[in-house]
């Protein structure tokens, strides 16, 4: 996924665009670029690396004083899909005559065919991108009317796009269009903006238009026009965003990295999600009838949230349930119908695999509930119902606060459905909610005791491999702990079901591999103790994460991470927090930029 920012007005477009791109950097940061229109001339400036790299480069640019005069322009921060990370492949791209410029987020599936046709007509290409094909098609169809040429170009494209286009013959407007990638217009006073998300626009305006699939918009300084792809006018559907809190949430304040800030926000984000969702969930549940099967789908961390929730739905609702990786779901031969409930989990609401799974289940008339963190995202708009987690924007690429809020939402949903299907009593419902209500304060105590975790991080940072073990409802937490460590520290980590290691993985264990075992009070406790003995017999360095340590155990193990007591069903929400911190400290001790881990992007909008 990539980030797009556009501006037209009376101010310094370069400055505004660079500020906007900083907010969008979480969407991709392998290369950056801007296109500015000054005196009927297009200036394109690009660089490999993040916004700071481009900023430094611009400082020494011969054209800097001209660039600062621009009142119209576009910017882009890239996560490479078509074509390697090079300056040529960075956006903005231009047509071969350098008259038109484009920024693009998405993937054009048929770009090779289109490129071939253009090559026959003697068009030439400098990049390996699909985007360069779009802008040359705009040139191909241009007969003096930019709207018309963009409209015609779009009719040839298969795939997804959010695009912004500038033309040196048409300097008073930005053309933009959207299909399956987010694009939002910000309405200012004598100026208008364009961005991939709400948060990049909020410093300038809270009046926004969420473009819909097929929309083509013209942004002028004092006017906005939106048309459907057939050219007919659309009314402007203006939303006023009432969320000033989120502006603060998108600043790092005293934290070095967003990841740490977001880990520390969890007592608040869990509480907010709890408070905001209780009523909404009940209203949705009242509309659900005769659900015979539930599927929970997501990717990465969101999938692990679903994996934890599977145990809750099983226990509270007794409705058969499965959890699956969204990108795997499509290939299965399943009976799906209007009695099937599909729960899609996605922080960004734009993950292509999850969106594709949602669309597939819609063709089978399934009912869907999206658990999303991003207002008006594709998944939240396309699902039958949506429950928003109240995290504020999550900028760190490693998902932390979104995960615990997803768990909170799923716990409330599973309880509500259990009550509606009369598998739990009102009294049980209330008792479980009371337990959940106490989680934020317990999370705070974990966050106040980090010295022990730092010591373990100092050990992990020197290791090549780490094993995370968990059983039953904490098995997904072992998977999530391992994912967190590998994505920010680049140390290989594997999550494994504690009882399963003796069936193979134990072959790896020796004194070079630390093994972190989740030992939570409850039905898995005794068996896990036995598994710990087995691990110790192989000389491994054992780290125990537990809410019930006994003295005989302390003697035998190397490190203990203590977490507060809660019921076993809710232990995953607490247990994951030290694992997030452990990943964070290990990676920062290794001097990695945890907010922008290599090769990753915040949301993956390609299948
Ligand atoms: O935006 P989504 O929740 O749909 O994203 C799903 C995954 O791509 C995401 O959780 C990813 O695994 C994170 N980088 C994990 O930290």
């Amino acid at each position: 996924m990539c980030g797009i920012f556009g501006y037209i007005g009376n101010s310094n477009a370069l400055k505004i665009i660079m500020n906007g791109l900083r907010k969008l950097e979480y969407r991709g940061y392998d290369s950056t670029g801007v296109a500015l229109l000054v005196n009927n001339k297009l200036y394109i400036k690009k660089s490999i690396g993040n916004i700071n790299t481009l900023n430094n480069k611009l400082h020494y640019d011969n054209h800097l004083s001209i660039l600062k005069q621009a009142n119209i322009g576009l910017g882009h921060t890239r996560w490479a899909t078509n074509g390697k990370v090079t300056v040529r492949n960075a956006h903005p791209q231009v047509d071969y005559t350098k008259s038109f410029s484009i920024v693009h987020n998405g993937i054009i599936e048929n770009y090779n065919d289109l490129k071939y046709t253009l090559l026959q007509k003697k068009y030439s290409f400098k990049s390996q991108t699909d985007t360069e094909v779009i802008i040359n098609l705009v040139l191909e169809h241009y007969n003096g009317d930019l709207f018309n040429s963009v409209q015609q170009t779009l009719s040839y494209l298969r795939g997804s796009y959010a695009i912004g286009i500038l033309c040196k013959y048409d300097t008073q407007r930005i053309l933009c269009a959207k299909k399956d990638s987010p694009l939002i217009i910000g309405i200012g006073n004598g100026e208008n903006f364009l961005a991939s998300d709400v948060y990049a626009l909020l410093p300038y305006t809270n009046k926004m238009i969420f473009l819909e699939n097929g929309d083509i918009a013209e942004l002028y300084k004092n006017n906005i026009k939106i048309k459907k792809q057939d050219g007919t006018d659309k009314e402007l559907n203006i939303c006023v965003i009432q969320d000033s809190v989120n502006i603060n949430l998108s600043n790092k304040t005293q934290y070095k990295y967003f990841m740490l800030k977001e880990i520390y926000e969890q007592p608040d984000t869990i509480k907010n999600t709890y408070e905001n969702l209780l009523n909404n969930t009940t209203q949705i549940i009242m509309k659900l009838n005769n659900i015979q099967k539930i599927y929970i789908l997501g990717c990465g961390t969101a999938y692990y949230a679903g994996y934890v929730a599977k145990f809750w739905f099983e226990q509270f609702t007794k409705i058969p349930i499965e959890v699956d990786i969204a990108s795997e779901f499509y290939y299965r031969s399943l009976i799906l119908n209007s009695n099937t409930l599909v729960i899609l989990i996605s922080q960004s609401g734009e993950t292509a695999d999850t969106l594709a799974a949602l669309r597939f289940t819609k063709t089978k008339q399934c009912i869907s509930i999206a658990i999303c963190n991003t207002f008006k995202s594709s998944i939240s708009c396309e699902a039958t119902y949506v429950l928003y987690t109240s995290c504020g924007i999550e900028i760190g690429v490693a998902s932390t606060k979104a995960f615990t809020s997803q768990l909170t939402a799923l716990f409330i949903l599973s309880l509500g459905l259990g009550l509606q299907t009369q598998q739990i009593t009102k009294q049980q419902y209330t008792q479980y909610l009371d337990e959940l209500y106490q989680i934020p304060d317990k999370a705070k105590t974990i966050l106040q005791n980090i010295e022990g975790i730092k010591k373990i991080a100092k050990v992990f940072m020197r290791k090549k491999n780490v094993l995370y073990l968990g059983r039953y409802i904490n098995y997904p937490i072992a998977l999530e702990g391992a994912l967190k460590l590998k994505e920010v520290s680049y140390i290989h980590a594997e999550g494994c079901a504690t009882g399963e290691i003796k069936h193979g993985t134990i072959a790896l264990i020796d004194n070079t591999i630390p093994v972190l075992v989740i030992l939570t009070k409850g039905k898995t406790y005794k068996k896990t103790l036995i598994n710990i003995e087995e691990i110790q017999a192989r000389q491994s360095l054992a780290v125990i994460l537990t809410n019930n340590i006994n003295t005989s155990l302390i003697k035998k193990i190397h490190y203990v991470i203590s977490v507060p007591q809660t019921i076993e069903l809710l232990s995953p929400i607490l247990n994951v927090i030290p694992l997030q911190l452990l990943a964070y400290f290990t990676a920062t001790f290794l001097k990695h930029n945890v907010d922008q881990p290599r090769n990753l992007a915040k949301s993956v909008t390609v299948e």
Side-chain angles (χ1 to χ4, degrees), residues 376-413:
K376 292 239 183 200
S377 54
S378 303
I379 293 172
S380 58
C381 290
E382 292 190 29
T384 324
Y385 306 107
V386 58
L387 290 172
Y388 285 111
T389 45
S390 305
C391 291
I393 186 171
E394 190 181 64
I395 298 211
V397 165
S399 190
T400 53
K401 62 176 180 175
F403 180 69
T404 46
S405 280
Q406 286 159 353
L407 290 178
T408 305
L410 289 159
F411 191 75
I412 293 171
L413 182 61

Side-chain angles (χ1 to χ4, degrees), residues 128-164:
Q128 299 158 309
T129 65
D130 48 352
T131 310
E132 193 183 9
V133 176
I134 309 179
I135 202 63
N136 277 292
L137 272 178
V138 171
L139 167 67
E140 166 74 1
H141 295 293
Y142 188 68
N143 57 4
D145 180 344
L146 182 61
F147 183 90
N148 196 275
S149 72
V150 171
Q151 185 187 21
Q152 284 197 52
T153 298
L154 296 180
S155 68
Y156 287 89
L157 305 184
R158 275 207 326 267
S160 61
Y161 51 81
I163 51 174

Side-chain angles (χ1 to χ4, degrees), residues 299-302 345-349 351 354 397-399 406 480 483-484 487 600-604:
C299 305
T301 292
I345 308 170
S346 176
Q347 187 284 132
S348 62
T351 301
T354 313
V397 165
S399 190
Q406 286 159 353
E480 170 62 6
L483 178 66
K484 279 295 85 85
E487 69 180 335
L600 295 177
K602 184 66 191 155
S603 129
V604 184

